[in-house]
Amino acid sequence: MSGTALVELKNLEKEFAGTKALKGVSLSFLAGEVHGLLGENGAGKSTLIKILTGVYSPSAGEILLEGAPVRVSSPPEAHRLGLGAVYQDAELVSSFTVGQNILLGNEPGRFGVSNRAIHDEATAILAEMGIDLDAHRIAGTLSAAEMQLVTLATLFHRRYKLIVLDEPTARLSATESEVLFRIIERFKKQGVAIVYISHRLREVQEICDRATILRGGLVSGTLNRGEVTEDRVTELMVDRNRAELTTHNDGSRVRPEVLLEVTELATANLSPLSFTIRAGEVLGVTGPVGGGMEDVARALGGVVRHTGTVSLHGKSIDVGTPIAARRSGVALIPEDRRKQALFPSHSVAENICLPVLNRLERLLTIRPGAMRRYADDVMDQLAVRPRNAAIQVRFFSGGNQQKVVIGKWMSAGASLYIIVEPTNGVDVGAIKEIYDIILQLAQDGAAVLLVSSSLRETLALADRVMVIHDGNRVAEAPKTDWTYDELLAVTLSGKSKTAA
Amino acid sequence: MTQAEHESPAQAKTTQNAVTKTQSEGRKESAAMRFLRRWGTIIVLVLAAVGFSIASPYFATVSNLNNILFSMIVSALVSLGLTWVVIAGSFDLSIGLTVTTSSILVAFLIPVLGPWAAIAVALLAACLIGAVNGVLVTYGRLSGIVVTLGVMFVLSGINIFITGGYQVPVGYDETAFLYLGQGKLGIIGVPVVILLAVFLVALIAATRTRIGHYIAAVGDNPMAAFYSGINVYRWVILAFVLSALMSGIAGVIVTSISSSAQPVGGEGYLLEAFAAVFLGATVLGKGKPHLLGTLVGVFFLYMVDSGMNMVGFPFAARHIFQGLVLIIAVGANALLNREEVHLKFI
């Protein structure tokens, strides 16, 4: 292999509360190489990246940058060392033009700032990279995909040595992806190492020089270009030794009546989709991140603009806004708990009681005793620990926070629960408890729509599994018809089993 | 396993287009709307001026224009200063009291140091106030509102302390110093010229140099600025320093205009400055504060004041009108510029 190791990871370990997410990963990234990183959810990919970009510090092991050991103690420190990542949002100055953004921090000229010079240079950069955008456009008016391309263009001046791209094509169309690949080519020529995380096998085959597959916190194998085949990757990814989750939905909860009927639901990233869920049934929706599965949840929860009709209990309902959806009996439990579902500096009791406050009032004032009792009751049912409703939610672990979010909606009596990535950031110990809670919701007769990129989770909880790839449903079948390997192959390739 | 029914690609495509279309429709606006957004505030200003001219023969005269400009000097300087801080994404409530402090300092120091050194010390003191604000907001991790509110109270105490609550006179023989506030160049007052000079320098700094460019970047998206290798704290601090410096200049001119420094009274400039900055944000449809807009905003407020005064409206009516103009101008601009979800209430 030509090229020198730009970044070398030696025996990296990371332990979270007694569970090892990384068990000694040794890996090297070469200057000018595109290195694919693959693995199931929980294999340690995101932990590894967070260590590399300074979000976490490793429990053991070391990182060598150009041969010298470095301590990446914080994201700014990573930035200073030249280890960069493209964060999904918060990357552009929205009131600035595309050109001003591309050259931000590296404007031509010494003291004065000439907009003409900036736009001339930016236009040249855009042309060279094949991004068809006017450098004078205001960044705030760009589409999400255009923003992402401009964000990548801004990296040229940041002089990163290594750039982590996490599912970069998730929001891009085919042509835009081509532009992305050209940008990556240019970085390669500059000698930048690219760590490319993707669940789309075809991309990895197309652009990665090497690909490393993680499994259970260990490197399971590194493949050279040409060796990356569906069979090899599947074989390296699937963790045969991993203890199967003890939770299993045996399908006994499904009742005959159809509770939710969705017709021609479509958003900007989702082609028209129709499906039904019966009472007590869990429908698992999975696929690559950004491939459209998120939009099913967001549309039904009223968060994103959509077309199509939705009926619950045979009656057409309005899910145009979150308030309307909530009123119609739809509870959305979003992925980003801290931002979208919790009030971190309020107590558990205040969080749990929020949807049912009107029941706890007397003469327009909330009875603290009733609130406390209600919260205690919910906490008992969900085994939230520590069991003290007066503590602020932000002091709880990820798993217990998730229980609080579910607890918040549980007794509010929704007919449809939409649960997105329920165990993201949840400690291993709490996962089973959360699964049990979700199945209990189905047991009580609700319809559950589970959106998860974790195949194990989907197979453990769902009665039926639907795969969405590039905005299209590529497969749907009862869980019993799937094996883990088949499902993995379909999500990776985007081709349904029979067609493949 | 059941084969999923594939949507025909063509059909999927049309629906997708339909969805994107409805989404972009909100953004697409007619030429009339765009014109209104860009020129709306200016049109209202011109209409008001025409109205006052019809109602009063004394309104549209050179001497009245001169009066309006002269009366708005201090307010304009304070507002221009505040514009920097608001662009940087913070608040400065201490500007009004900075005017008073600088005014008092210069009056006190003229007998000791002579006028020029006194001005220099007063302006340095103002910059120091700005630096304290800036450092506390950045390195001190405090909110701009809290810090500058605190500094405002501290300054008001200091001002009364050092003056004992009495005004500080400037000797009538300080002609050079008094020329700054009371002199004339032809028919234009010297302080008006100072205001315009400060404005021009600030405008160049804001539009043609790294100062304005980076302060705007930091105010809009500090994270993006940070990852672009920009020293975010430095530019926030500089914005506070510029704000205080302009208030300091205003303070010097106040002392020169009235040949004395008052221990209280600076607070009034604060609210006017906020009104001017937010009114100014609507000028030319920028939707964010900018120096030219702020200057137009101040002029608007003082022009209306003068016009209503001439037409004979009571003082109270003028305040009501100014308040309504502010809400309507900013509100109309917000209506023309709809975000999908509005969840900011500051």
Side-chain angles (χ1 to χ4, degrees):
Chain A
M1 198 81 205
S2 65
T4 49
L6 180 79
V7 174
E8 206 177 337
L9 312 177
K10 277 191 174 167
N11 276 315
L12 278 190
E13 289 183 23
K14 180 67 189 175
E15 201 178 299
F16 293 106
T19 324
K20 276 194 172 166
L22 290 183
K23 300 171 183 160
V25 169
S26 296
L27 197 53
S28 66
F29 302 114
L30 310 180
E33 97 170 321
V34 181
H35 197 125
L37 203 54
L38 293 146
E40 297 176 286
N41 288 45
K45 268 179 314 180
S46 60
T47 310
L48 185 67
I49 293 316
K50 283 180 175 164
I51 289 176
L52 203 52
T53 51
V55 180
Y56 297 154
S57 46
S59 314
E62 61 178 350
I63 301 172
L64 302 182
L65 178 63
E66 292 166 332
V70 286
R71 242 175 60 85
V72 193
S73 53
S74 63
E77 182 66 28
H79 171 77
R80 250 214 326 276
L81 290 167
L83 308 173
V86 176
Y87 302 97
Q88 292 283 334
D89 302 301
E91 275 294 284
L92 295 180
V93 178
S94 57
S95 65
F96 275 24
T97 64
V98 169
Q100 286 169 336
N101 269 293
I102 290 179
L103 293 174
L104 185 62
N106 288 281
E107 289 79 2
R110 195 166 295 166
F111 187 71
V113 171
S114 151
N115 274 317
R116 188 171 316 141
I118 287 177
H119 290 123
D120 285 351
E121 192 170 336
T123 304
I125 292 177
L126 289 170
E128 191 179 338
M129 297 193 315
I131 302 179
D132 187 19
L133 270 180
D134 182 357
H136 292 87
R137 262 184 74 187
I138 300 291
T141 66
L142 300 175
S143 72
E146 288 167 336
M147 275 191 197
Q148 198 176 342
L149 292 178
V150 174
T151 304
L152 285 165
T154 63
L155 296 183
F156 280 108
H157 285 269
R158 294 194 189 168
R159 301 179 215 293
Y160 284 140
K161 294 170 182 156
L162 177 139
I163 297 171
V164 178
L165 299 175
D166 192 355
E167 297 281 352
T169 55
R171 291 193 294 190
L172 302 181
S173 71
T175 22
E176 289 157 346
S177 299
E178 282 309 314
V179 175
L180 169 80
F181 298 155
R182 258 204 310 278
I183 296 174
I184 290 176
E185 260 327 295
R186 219 191 111 152
F187 279 128
K188 269 181 73 169
K189 284 209 195 89
Q190 292 182 340
V192 176
I194 309 270
V195 179
Y196 192 94
I197 302 173
S198 178
H199 281 94
R200 293 167 175 80
L201 198 60
R202 210 171 327 128
E203 287 170 15
V204 176
Q205 289 167 334
E206 194 176 328
I207 69 157
C208 291
D209 300 307
R210 292 194 297 164
T212 292
I213 292 102
L214 290 182
R215 180 170 67 191
L218 287 165
V219 173
S220 141
T222 298
L223 302 173
N224 286 318
R225 184 192 283 278
E227 295 170 354
V228 182
T229 61
E230 201 176 302
D231 290 344
R232 282 287 278 154
V233 170
T234 312
E235 184 198 320
L236 289 170
M237 253 169 97
V238 179
D239 188 353
R240 308 283 169 203
N241 300 325
R242 184 156 149 183
E244 284 304 321
L245 288 161
T246 43
T247 307
H248 176 72
N249 184 356
D250 55 9
S252 61
R253 297 171 182 80
V254 184
R255 305 178 193 183
E257 79 264 29
V258 170
L259 198 66
L260 174 79
E261 199 168 350
V262 175
T263 325
E264 297 283 294
L265 183 76
T267 72
N269 303 316
L270 184 69
S271 302
L273 180 70
S274 303
F275 62 90
T276 58
I277 307 181
R278 294 172 190 278
E281 186 180 29
V282 181
L283 173 64
V285 179
T286 188
V289 174
M293 63 168 177
E294 299 88 348
D295 270 29
V296 179
R298 282 150 40 92
L300 289 177
V303 185
V304 70
R305 211 181 292 235
H306 58 270
T307 57
T309 56
V310 180
S311 43
L312 206 55
H313 296 294
K315 274 184 305 201
S316 177
I317 59 164
D318 170 22
V319 290
T321 64
I323 297 168
R326 181 68 209 94
R327 205 169 282 153
S328 311
V330 178
L332 173 63
I333 298 171
E335 180 181 1
D336 191 343
R337 288 184 289 278
R338 275 170 177 276
K339 272 201 196 130
Q340 300 168 354
L342 286 175
F343 302 92
S345 49
H346 286 203
S347 73
V348 172
E350 285 165 324
N351 270 285
I352 288 180
C353 297
L354 192 79
V356 293
L357 277 185
N358 54 350
R359 277 196 250 150
L360 306 174
E361 280 171 353
R362 182 191 290 147
L363 296 173
L364 295 177
T365 54
I366 298 161
R367 290 170 295 149
M371 187 160 151
R372 187 64 188 260
R373 274 193 300 281
Y374 179 85
D376 280 346
D377 194 37
V378 172
M379 287 179 89
D380 279 343
Q381 280 180 52
L382 303 185
V384 180
R385 279 176 302 265
R387 198 191 146 291
N388 181 349
I391 299 179
Q392 292 180 16
V393 159
R394 63 195 164 110
F395 296 123
F396 282 75
S397 70
N400 283 299
Q401 287 186 355
Q402 183 67 292
K403 290 184 207 163
V404 171
V405 176
I406 298 174
K408 190 175 133 185
W409 295 117
M410 208 172 58
S411 310
S415 312
L416 169 66
Y417 286 89
I418 305 166
I419 304 178
V420 185
E421 304 283 2
T423 52
N424 220 353
V426 166
D427 30 308
V428 181
I431 289 179
K432 187 181 156 35
E433 290 171 347
I434 287 171
Y435 287 172
D436 289 343
I437 295 166
I438 292 172
L439 291 181
Q440 186 60 43
L441 294 173
Q443 179 77 49
D444 295 342
V448 177
L449 180 72
L450 170 77
V451 176
S452 173
S453 57
S454 161
L455 304 182
R456 283 177 195 280
E457 182 163 291
T458 307
L459 286 174
L461 291 176
D463 293 293
R464 242 175 334 128
V465 177
M466 183 196 291
V467 179
I468 293 186
H469 203 285
D470 292 336
N472 291 298
R473 164 170 48 192
V474 292
E476 181 180 342
K479 182 200 13 213
T480 44
D481 289 2
W482 291 101
T483 65
Y484 182 87
D485 294 23
E486 284 166 0
L487 187 56
L488 179 64
V490 172
T491 43
L492 280 173
S493 66
K495 285 176 286 196
S496 72
K497 198 165 45 161
T498 39
Chain B
M1 147 178 175
T2 49
Q3 169 70 36
E5 61 265 51
H6 278 266
E7 312 287 348
S8 83
Q11 182 198 346
K13 194 102 194 205
T14 38
T15 324
Q16 223 173 50
N17 283 349
V19 173
T20 6
K21 204 165 164 196
T22 47
Q23 283 184 337
S24 63
E25 254 166 22
R27 240 181 248 165
K28 215 174 271 173
E29 48 181 11
S30 63
M33 279 289 238
R34 218 166 20 223
F35 179 80
L36 212 60
R37 166 135 46 136
R38 198 169 160 78
W39 299 108
T41 318
I42 307 269
I43 291 171
V44 175
L45 190 147
V46 170
L47 286 181
V50 169
F52 287 131
S53 309
I54 294 168
S56 163
Y58 305 110
F59 183 78
T61 58
V62 173
S63 80
N64 189 43
L65 179 67
N66 231 339
N67 277 341
I68 295 174
L69 287 177
F70 193 85
S71 60
M72 70 182 238
I73 292 161
V74 176
S75 204
L77 283 167
V78 174
S79 307
L80 290 173
L82 178 66
T83 310
W84 291 106
V85 174
V86 178
I87 291 175
S90 193
F91 281 90
D92 191 345
L93 305 179
S94 67
I95 42 177
L97 269 300
T98 307
V99 173
T100 309
T101 304
S102 141
S103 164
I104 292 170
L105 271 180
V106 82
F108 253 122
L109 293 174
I110 284 175
V112 188
L113 302 171
W116 310 120
I119 291 173
V121 172
L123 295 187
L124 272 178
C127 289
L128 183 69
I129 294 168
V132 168
N133 283 333
V135 168
L136 288 177
V137 165
T138 53
Y139 293 101
R141 300 180 176 220
L142 291 163
S143 98
I145 294 180
V146 172
V147 167
T148 57
L149 190 67
V151 168
M152 179 184 110
F153 279 118
V154 169
L155 288 180
S156 98
I158 290 177
N159 292 343
I160 293 176
F161 235 124
I162 58 181
T163 57
Y166 298 104
Q167 67 166 352
V168 186
V170 175
Y172 285 110
D173 51 345
E174 294 287 350
T175 46
F177 177 73
L178 296 179
Y179 179 76
L180 291 178
Q182 302 174 9
K184 290 221 161 185
L185 286 170
I187 55 162
I188 304 169
V190 172
V192 175
V193 176
I194 294 177
L195 167 63
L196 292 180
V198 170
F199 169 70
L200 279 180
V201 172
L203 191 65
I204 290 170
T207 55
R208 296 288 159 90
T209 69
R210 245 150 253 247
I211 298 172
H213 201 67
Y214 287 167
I215 287 179
V218 164
D220 191 341
N221 189 344
M223 199 61 105
F226 174 77
Y227 281 112
S228 300
I230 291 173
N231 188 336
V232 174
Y233 284 6
R234 180 202 294 169
W235 299 105
V236 172
I237 294 171
L238 182 63
F240 275 98
V241 169
L242 287 172
S243 168
L245 173 63
M246 294 202 176
S247 293
I249 296 173
V252 171
I253 291 178
V254 166
T255 303
S256 179
I257 287 176
S258 55
S259 307
S260 68
Q262 306 298 325
V264 289
E267 310 85 67
Y269 298 120
L270 172 66
L271 297 180
E272 241 168 48
F274 271 101
V277 168
F278 288 114
L279 195 56
T282 68
V283 172
L284 299 180
K286 299 244 184 185
K288 51 177 184 166
H290 57 121
L291 293 170
L292 178 64
T294 300
L295 196 65
V296 172
V298 180
F299 182 77
F300 195 135
L301 294 175
Y302 276 82
M303 186 196 80
V304 166
D305 207 46
S306 148
M308 290 184 82
N309 191 16
M310 284 186 171
V311 178
F313 282 101
F315 187 69
R318 283 184 259 156
H319 271 209
I320 293 173
F321 186 80
Q322 285 178 343
L324 291 179
V325 163
L326 178 66
I327 293 173
I328 290 168
V330 178
N333 213 51
L335 279 181
L336 294 173
N337 199 359
R338 271 277 167 89
E339 300 163 67
E340 207 150 279
V341 190
H342 170 80
L343 295 171
K344 269 189 304 191
F345 310 107
I346 196 163

